[in-house]
Amino acid sequence: MSYLNETHDPSMQSWVVSANVPDNGFPIQNLPFGVFRPQGSPNFRPGIAIGNQVLDLAALAGVQPFTGQAAQALEACQGDSLNALMGLGQPHWSALRLALSRALRQGSAQQAVLEPLLVGADQVEMGLPARIGDYTDFYISAHHATAVGKQFRPDNPLLPNYKWIPIGYHGRASSIQATGHSFPRPVGQTRPASEGGTPGFGPCQRLDYELELGIFVGQGNAQGERIALDDADAHVFGLCILNDWSARDLQAWEYQPLGPFLAKNFASTISPWIVTLEALAPFRIPFERDANDPQPLPYLSSAQNQEYGAFDIDLQVFLSTQTSRAAQAEPALLSTSNFKEAYWNIAQLLAHHTVNGCNLQAGDLLGTGTLSGPDQGQEGSLLELNQGGKQAVKLPWGEERLFLQDYDEVILLAACHKDGYPTISLGQASGTVLPARV
Amino acid sequence: MSYLNETHDPSMQSWVVSANVPDNGFPIQNLPFGVFRPQGSPNFRPGIAIGNQVLDLAALAGVQPFTGQAAQALEACQGDSLNALMGLGQPHWSALRLALSRALRQGSAQQAVLEPLLVGADQVEMGLPARIGDYTDFYISAHHATAVGKQFRPDNPLLPNYKWIPIGYHGRASSIQATGHSFPRPVGQTRPASEGGTPGFGPCQRLDYELELGIFVGQGNAQGERIALDDADAHVFGLCILNDWSARDLQAWEYQPLGPFLAKNFASTISPWIVTLEALAPFRIPFERDANDPQPLPYLSSAQNQEYGAFDIDLQVFLSTQTSRAAQAEPALLSTSNFKEAYWNIAQLLAHHTVNGCNLQAGDLLGTGTLSGPDQGQEGSLLELNQGGKQAVKLPWGEERLFLQDYDEVILLAACHKDGYPTISLGQASGTVLPARV
């Protein structure tokens, strides 16, 4: 089985010159989908990123240079979200990708049709790529779960269900925003200073980020049906970066017995370009269980999943502050990690989510949970970097951080690297904390 | 302060004769909103229930007999959901209610305009009243929380946060269905028979219902803003009945540390008519804290909320089975309860949900959580009726139930009763369990 086709040819070049610059992240092998509007335009519309340009797919649909499934897929790119395209299914996404790849190649006869429909990426505003019906957040890094669990249960950090169930819970869809936004520090209740006392109330004092990837569901499943593990890829439209901002002090007081609520639902940030699973095919790697760990139950295990189930995606967290920006210092790199370190993989998340008949829909978003790695420097949250609030993180310009301060900007990056293959970027997800409204 | 106006006049009669039948539940003082389609029609559209009839609001908008805010509100009733009407806000909902009340009264000059737009309620199919963006489920019955908590923590059933925080969590919007549907028994993992063993896997063996009310959000709030306690009523469009089906064996294994997930998200059932907060005004009652309980924090407490915060709504659970239907036996009454027994009230749920800046949107649904009362016979779930799975419930036709069997139908009813006032029904939410698909 090969996931590769002509769209992955690493030697392919585009007539969009900026797409051929080494490591620009958006070469013709990427072609991520997003929703944008040119500056001054009121209407968001679908587009793809190519080099430092955005191709207006809504306008291209008006010209309709394609035929067959590619043309049908392009027809679905005329609203203000990608939901219609997502709902068409994998053969349509793949046909459109192939048609766009051919049209954007050096020597394409369609250059004259497409070239007027390019807009500079620095001339557009990016929106949410989809109407997100339901948002589910998972918890698939055993390294994160162990590090956080240790703070609550030093002797028994990983609960008994962890290695059997891809633990997940429902999150809030309405407060998910695209990169570049800001939000006020959340306000809420915190644990009483002494047992039986009155809870605290006020602005969150332990505001944190969480480094995650987001998985956009394409075609869903009918209620009562399930998505088999080996069919799951065809239901995934693509991946983005996700920051699951977390108010640790609110969380500690509210989360028993039904899970996090106000500690998470005030804001989440995603990167605006969805990199398709097809674009990520060259970065598929085997998914292996450690010999000490139990094999997953049959509905979460297959030969195909073991051979191709994981993805090699590099992740980075940067922080800039009011002080660093005033000093024109570069944002500080806080940690690096990789998606391949996760205990569960994408197909397993879809198979598990639907095993009970729960229906997924086009545009649904699944979060991976914090993607911490096994080593120091690979922590996906401040709570891990600061060892449970005990050790402040030193920043290169002289400041320290236990938790986020007002006007701090957290910038998450993700990209795939492989020898002999152009870098595939997932872009960035950045957001800025504003003072609480009290 | 009075919540009552001319639409609440208990002596008022309608020219729709069936609306004047005592205790029919849908008198002219009710006028709940829903979404329906006549048998054979492909298109759902908004309507109101009056007696045993449904008034087609989309068709009425075509005629447009109203002026001002009522006309604007009616204009918003032309899609396939109530979201547009909900988003207009309380003054518009109230203006439309008043105009409909006047047009449906005995002696109204508009009878000739409206009468052709009535359809028999037994001739229509009801749909979901709104596109539900986000669904949040709360846990506001201390009686339920104590009964369930006792099964896990006999010495300490209520956690320390319970009397300070209206505990809630996010649920699944995609799998909410309107009354009359059926769904396959969920399948999933269950706790290993012995510690460290392999989990069980198969059809849920402890399937349960939960007797709840649903609160439909009308006008929302911007992200970062909050809804003040005394403003909350104006953001609530109305109430329905909600069955939060629960797979207790799946839940027991999966819920730590992030809360229920597959145990809940396979299906939820709501009644299709949303009874507006205005229609419920005569049933507002004081909201009082027991002297032994802490007063809520200031953002959850006000004189207005104490005077009018609770609602007197009677609730009932009925069960029918394959056997009872074959014997033409009436469904068995399993329990009765009342919304007024809850520890938190509607306005407190909205104020809490938004205190951190989380944005609510028109069409969002909040569940109350299981509304058990303090006494025997008031249990809102089988898990309470069967004392944690220990004592089967005897049914009048000779069967017993620990948990739900295939083809069992659970029917939830809710209605308001008050001397000198016509009964206001919230209709019913019924759903049927089908065999698991394995």
Side-chain angles (χ1 to χ4, degrees), chain B residues 186-201:
Chain B
V187 166
Q189 292 191 35
T190 51
R191 188 184 294 284
S194 60
E195 205 177 325
T198 299
F201 182 80

Side-chain angles (χ1 to χ4, degrees), chain B residues 74-416:
Chain B
L74 188 58
E75 286 292 317
C77 294
Q78 296 183 90
D80 61 0
S81 77
L82 294 170
N83 293 67
L85 174 64
M86 291 167 153
L88 286 178
Q90 204 279 332
H92 281 87
W93 314 330
S94 190
L96 180 57
R97 173 181 165 86
L98 178 60
L100 289 168
S101 171
R102 288 176 176 169
L104 287 163
R105 278 175 213 174
Q106 276 181 357
S108 164
Q110 293 174 317
Q111 178 174 349
V113 177
L114 271 63
E115 200 154 17
L117 308 180
L118 292 174
V119 193
D122 56 355
Q123 306 293 311
V124 307
E125 177 190 354
M126 299 303 300
L128 275 184
R131 277 178 286 101
I132 300 168
D134 278 291
Y135 161 48
T136 299
D137 202 19
F138 285 92
Y139 192 55
I140 68 173
S141 163
H143 308 297
H144 171 70
T146 301
V148 172
K150 261 185 195 159
Q151 300 176 11
F152 296 94
R153 301 171 299 273
D155 299 335
N156 192 19
L158 268 194
L159 292 168
N161 57 13
Y162 190 87
K163 294 194 171 178
W164 295 102
I165 290 183
I167 295 292
Y169 68 111
H170 297 112
R172 182 83 195 173
S174 71
S175 54
I176 300 172
Q177 300 263 12
T179 190
H181 75 118
S182 55
F183 59 89
R185 176 180 298 273
V187 166
Q189 292 191 35
T190 51
R191 188 184 294 284
S194 60
E195 205 177 325
T198 299
F201 182 80
C204 166
Q205 300 298 313
R206 291 165 71 95
L207 185 62
D208 202 353
Y209 59 83
E210 293 197 327
L211 168 65
E212 306 197 8
L213 289 175
I215 299 152
F216 269 103
V217 174
Q219 220 170 21
N221 59 304
Q223 198 168 351
E225 305 283 342
R226 57 186 69 120
I227 296 176
L229 188 68
D230 285 350
D231 296 337
D233 285 349
H235 291 265
V236 175
F237 186 76
L239 269 57
C240 66
I241 312 168
L242 169 65
N243 186 345
D244 177 34
W245 305 91
S246 297
R248 303 294 180 195
D249 42 358
L250 277 55
Q251 187 172 350
W253 175 228
E254 75 170 0
Y255 91 106
Q256 292 276 24
L258 298 179
F261 181 49
L262 298 190
K264 301 276 193 174
N265 66 11
F266 54 92
S268 309
T269 309
I270 62 172
S271 58
W273 292 110
I274 308 178
V275 177
T276 61
L277 228 50
E278 194 171 353
L280 295 169
F283 308 96
R284 284 179 177 269
I285 55 174
F287 178 78
E288 287 157 353
R289 276 269 176 272
D290 190 280
N292 298 323
D293 290 328
Q295 286 303 306
L297 292 186
Y299 77 100
L300 296 175
S301 180
S302 75
Q304 176 185 316
N305 190 261
Q306 284 170 32
E307 194 167 4
Y308 298 106
F311 289 83
D312 183 351
I313 304 177
D314 290 317
L315 309 165
Q316 294 178 303
V317 182
F318 289 89
L319 178 70
S320 92
T321 74
Q322 208 169 17
T323 300
S324 75
R325 291 190 296 273
Q328 299 192 312
E330 291 293 310
L333 177 65
L334 297 188
S335 62
T336 62
S337 181
N338 193 297
F339 185 31
K340 70 184 177 190
E341 304 288 356
Y343 193 83
W344 300 99
N345 63 48
I346 295 172
Q348 288 172 327
L349 300 188
L350 272 81
H352 182 67
H353 203 318
T354 62
V355 70
N356 68 341
C358 178
N359 54 324
L360 303 182
Q361 298 181 317
D364 285 350
L365 182 65
L366 314 184
T368 56
T370 309
L371 292 171
S372 302
D375 300 323
Q376 203 174 359
Q378 300 181 338
E379 300 87 347
S381 66
L382 277 175
L383 189 67
E384 292 159 85
L385 277 171
N386 68 22
Q387 297 168 43
K390 293 198 272 293
Q391 181 67 50
V393 177
K394 292 187 194 312
L395 301 172
W397 51 85
E399 284 187 291
E400 293 190 342
R401 284 292 181 274
L402 264 181
F403 289 98
L404 296 172
Q405 301 290 324
D406 291 346
Y407 304 108
D408 282 1
E409 180 184 24
V410 177
I411 306 153
L412 308 182
L413 298 180
C416 303

Side-chain angles (χ1 to χ4, degrees), chain A residues 172 177 223 226 265 364, chain B residues 172 177 223 356 364 437:
Chain A
R172 180 86 195 171
Q177 300 263 12
Q223 197 168 349
R226 56 186 69 120
N265 66 11
D364 286 350
Chain B
R172 182 83 195 173
Q177 300 263 12
Q223 198 168 351
N356 68 341
D364 285 350
R437 295 186 193 164

Side-chain angles (χ1 to χ4, degrees), chain A residues 9 14 19 22 24 29 33 39 45 49-50 54 60 105 108 137 172 194 204 235 300 316 343 350 376 379 397 427:
Chain A
D9 176 357
S14 173
N24 82 88
Q29 293 82 0
F33 290 84
Q39 281 170 13
R45 79 284 305 264
I50 174 82
V54 177
L60 191 64
R105 281 175 211 174
S108 165
D137 202 18
R172 180 86 195 171
S194 60
C204 166
H235 292 266
L300 297 175
Q316 293 179 304
Y343 192 83
L350 272 80
Q376 203 173 359
E379 301 87 348
W397 49 85

Side-chain angles (χ1 to χ4, degrees), chain A residues 92-437:
Chain A
H92 280 87
W93 315 330
S94 190
L96 180 57
R97 172 180 166 85
L98 178 60
L100 289 167
S101 171
R102 290 176 175 170
L104 287 163
R105 281 175 211 174
Q106 277 180 356
S108 165
Q110 293 175 317
Q111 178 174 349
V113 178
L114 271 62
E115 199 155 17
L117 308 180
L118 292 174
V119 193
D122 57 354
Q123 307 292 311
V124 308
E125 176 191 354
M126 298 303 298
L128 276 184
R131 277 178 287 101
I132 300 168
D134 279 291
Y135 162 48
T136 299
D137 202 18
F138 286 93
Y139 192 55
I140 69 173
S141 163
H143 308 296
H144 171 71
T146 302
V148 172
K150 261 185 194 157
Q151 299 176 12
F152 295 93
R153 301 172 298 274
D155 299 334
N156 192 19
L158 269 194
L159 291 169
N161 56 13
Y162 189 87
K163 294 195 171 177
W164 295 101
I165 290 183
I167 295 290
Y169 66 110
H170 298 114
R172 180 86 195 171
S174 71
S175 53
I176 300 172
Q177 300 263 12
T179 189
H181 75 118
S182 55
F183 59 89
R185 176 181 297 273
V187 167
Q189 292 191 35
T190 51
R191 191 183 292 283
S194 60
E195 205 176 325
T198 299
F201 182 81
C204 166
Q205 300 298 310
R206 292 164 71 95
L207 185 62
D208 202 352
Y209 59 83
E210 292 196 328
L211 168 65
E212 306 195 10
L213 290 175
I215 300 152
F216 269 103
V217 174
Q219 220 170 19
N221 60 304
Q223 197 168 349
E225 305 283 342
R226 56 186 69 120
I227 296 175
L229 187 69
D230 285 350
D231 296 337
D233 284 350
H235 292 266
V236 174
F237 187 77
L239 269 56
C240 66
I241 312 167
L242 170 65
N243 185 345
D244 177 34
W245 305 92
S246 297
R248 303 293 182 196
D249 42 358
L250 277 55
Q251 187 173 349
W253 174 228
E254 75 171 1
Y255 90 106
Q256 291 276 26
L258 299 178
F261 181 50
L262 299 189
K264 301 277 194 173
N265 66 11
F266 55 92
S268 309
T269 308
I270 61 172
S271 58
W273 292 111
I274 308 179
V275 177
T276 62
L277 227 49
E278 195 170 352
L280 295 170
F283 309 97
R284 284 179 176 268
I285 55 173
F287 177 79
E288 287 156 354
R289 277 270 175 272
D290 189 280
N292 297 322
D293 290 328
Q295 286 303 307
L297 293 187
Y299 78 100
L300 297 175
S301 181
S302 76
Q304 176 184 316
N305 191 260
Q306 285 170 33
E307 194 168 2
Y308 297 105
F311 290 83
D312 182 351
I313 304 177
D314 289 318
L315 308 166
Q316 293 179 304
V317 182
F318 289 88
L319 178 70
S320 93
T321 73
Q322 206 169 20
T323 299
S324 75
R325 292 190 295 271
Q328 299 192 312
E330 291 293 310
L333 177 65
L334 298 187
S335 63
T336 63
S337 181
N338 192 296
F339 184 32
K340 69 184 176 190
E341 305 287 356
Y343 192 83
W344 299 100
N345 63 48
I346 295 172
Q348 290 172 326
L349 301 188
L350 272 80
H352 182 67
H353 204 318
T354 61
V355 70
N356 68 343
C358 179
N359 55 324
L360 303 182
Q361 298 182 316
D364 286 350
L365 182 66
L366 314 183
T368 57
T370 309
L371 292 170
S372 302
D375 300 324
Q376 203 173 359
Q378 300 181 337
E379 301 87 348
S381 67
L382 277 174
L383 189 67
E384 292 159 85
L385 278 169
N386 68 23
Q387 298 167 42
K390 295 198 269 296
Q391 182 67 49
V393 176
K394 292 188 195 308
L395 302 171
W397 49 85
E399 284 185 293
E400 293 190 340
R401 285 290 181 276
L402 265 181
F403 289 97
L404 296 171
Q405 301 289 323
D406 291 344
Y407 304 107
D408 282 0
E409 180 183 26
V410 177
I411 306 153
L412 308 183
L413 298 180
C416 302
H417 304 96
K418 186 177 179 175
D419 281 350
Y421 202 83
T423 298
I424 300 295
S425 174
L426 281 79
Q428 72 171 49
S430 73
T432 303
V433 181
L434 299 178
R437 296 186 192 162

